């Protein structure tokens, strides 16, 4: 196993002090990098371990924060914070750019080989970075099929991969159709994988918080979705060029 170095990074965004998790692979050379965004509940050890796993493969990985270091256990409190953020593309872009600045400030990061991956709200932020014209090599989202302002998807300059559960009531068939129509009309190189029988947040192992209808873990599809993300990175930001 490759030696990974990690550190906590505090940085300002959205009027908060964000607390992100940076994971560096062994060595001293510049490496391709991945920006990793959490769902609306916030950054926790699940995403930190994902960043560490990417670093073990050889990527610089930064799991960014959206809640000022908080993990929301109350679904209503989470929605009260996440829904206004998702409804404001400029605010999402500011949150994403602040995290991207942290990644770009790391000397190990190759600024010409960066991908953005996100779950839920973090995935919506990754998409907004693309719609803002940020130079990314790939965008991957799980449980985030948000649509943007008219015409702005044409600024996306990289492949987009999206994964969603077939039984997700939040990203239902109508939302899937709207997202794919936007991507297709903009000429984006897009892919959508629908995981049969999976609910919203199917990727996330159970945590100690209230059960929410329509949300549930699907371990088999969670593993498949992670492999699909790794395939996207292997294609678009290979570790060797």
């Amino acid at each position: 196993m490759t030696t990974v170095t990690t550190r906590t990074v505090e940085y300002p965004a959205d009027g908060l002090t964000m607390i992100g998790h940076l994971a560096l692979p062994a060595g001293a050379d510049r490496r391709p990098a991945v920006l990793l965004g959490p769902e609306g509940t916030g950054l926790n050890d699940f995403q930190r371990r994902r960043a560490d796993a990417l670093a073990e493969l050889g990527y610089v990985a930064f799991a960014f924060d959206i809640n000022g270091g908080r993990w929301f256990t109350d679904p209503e409190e989470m929605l009260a914070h996440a829904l206004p953020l998702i409804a404001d593309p400029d605010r999402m872009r500011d949150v994403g750019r602040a995290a991207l600045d942290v990644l770009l400030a790391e000397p190990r990061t190759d600024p010409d080989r960066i991908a953005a991956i996100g779950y839920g709200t973090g995935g919506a932020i990754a998409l907004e970075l693309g719609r803002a014209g940020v130079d990314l090599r790939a965008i991957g989202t799980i449980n985030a099929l948000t649509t943007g302002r008219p015409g702005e998807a044409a600024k996306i300059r990289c492949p987009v991969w999206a994964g969603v559960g077939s039984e997700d009531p939040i990203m239902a068939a109508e939302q899937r159709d709207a997202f794919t129509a936007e991507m297709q009309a903009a000429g984006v190189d897009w892919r959508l994988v629908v995981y049969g029988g999976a609910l919203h947040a199917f990727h996330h192992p159970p945590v100690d918080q209230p059960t929410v209808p329509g949300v549930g873990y699907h371990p088999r599809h969670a593993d498949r979705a992670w492999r699909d993300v790794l395939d996207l990175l292997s294609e678009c930001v290979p570790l060797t060029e």
Side-chain angles (χ1 to χ4, degrees):
M1 183 178 295
T2 304
T3 302
V4 171
T5 302
T6 65
R7 68 174 183 265
T8 298
V9 182
E10 295 189 4
Y11 62 101
D14 202 31
L16 301 169
T17 298
M18 301 299 188
I19 305 174
H21 177 82
L22 182 67
L24 302 175
D29 58 330
R30 282 193 164 187
R31 306 297 298 164
V34 181
L35 200 61
L36 183 66
E39 49 272 279
T41 44
L43 178 61
N44 70 354
D45 284 343
F46 172 77
Q47 289 92 6
R48 295 185 188 99
R49 286 194 298 269
R50 287 298 197 216
D52 294 350
L54 290 170
E56 287 175 3
L57 292 173
Y59 294 98
V60 174
F62 183 57
F64 66 88
D65 184 12
I66 59 173
N67 294 337
R70 294 191 62 191
W71 165 264
F72 291 119
T73 57
D74 181 353
E76 293 301 321
E77 189 177 15
M78 181 274 290
L79 290 173
H81 181 267
L83 292 181
L85 177 59
I86 292 173
D88 189 335
D90 291 324
R91 193 175 153 206
M92 282 195 287
R93 293 175 187 187
D94 288 344
V95 170
R97 283 193 178 101
L100 182 60
D101 286 345
V102 173
L103 190 57
L104 288 170
E106 167 52 49
R108 298 288 309 282
T109 295
D110 182 341
D112 297 321
R113 292 191 290 164
I114 296 177
I117 306 296
Y119 302 93
T121 303
I125 290 170
L127 285 166
E128 281 307 317
L129 287 176
R131 294 186 184 107
V134 172
D135 186 14
L136 299 169
R137 287 287 190 95
I139 296 171
T141 78
I142 296 178
N143 307 313
L145 303 179
T146 51
T147 50
R149 290 179 293 215
E152 290 192 336
K155 297 178 183 177
I156 296 175
R157 302 186 238 168
C158 63
V160 172
W161 174 92
V164 68
S166 69
E167 307 309 302
D168 185 339
I170 299 171
M171 298 292 156
E174 297 80 7
Q175 185 64 32
R176 298 200 297 266
D177 290 345
F179 174 77
T180 58
E182 178 195 31
M183 294 293 110
Q184 185 66 19
V188 175
D189 176 3
W190 65 273
R191 284 166 282 178
L192 173 65
V193 178
V194 180
Y195 297 94
L199 299 170
H200 191 69
F202 70 90
H203 68 281
H204 202 297
V207 293
D208 185 18
Q209 64 185 67
T211 301
V212 178
V215 174
Y217 181 49
H218 196 300
R220 188 164 59 250
H221 284 326
D223 289 343
R224 289 169 173 163
W226 180 240
R227 289 198 299 269
D228 286 343
V229 167
L230 295 181
D231 285 345
L232 174 73
L233 296 176
S234 178
E235 174 191 341
C236 299
V237 274
L239 291 164
T240 58
E241 284 196 330

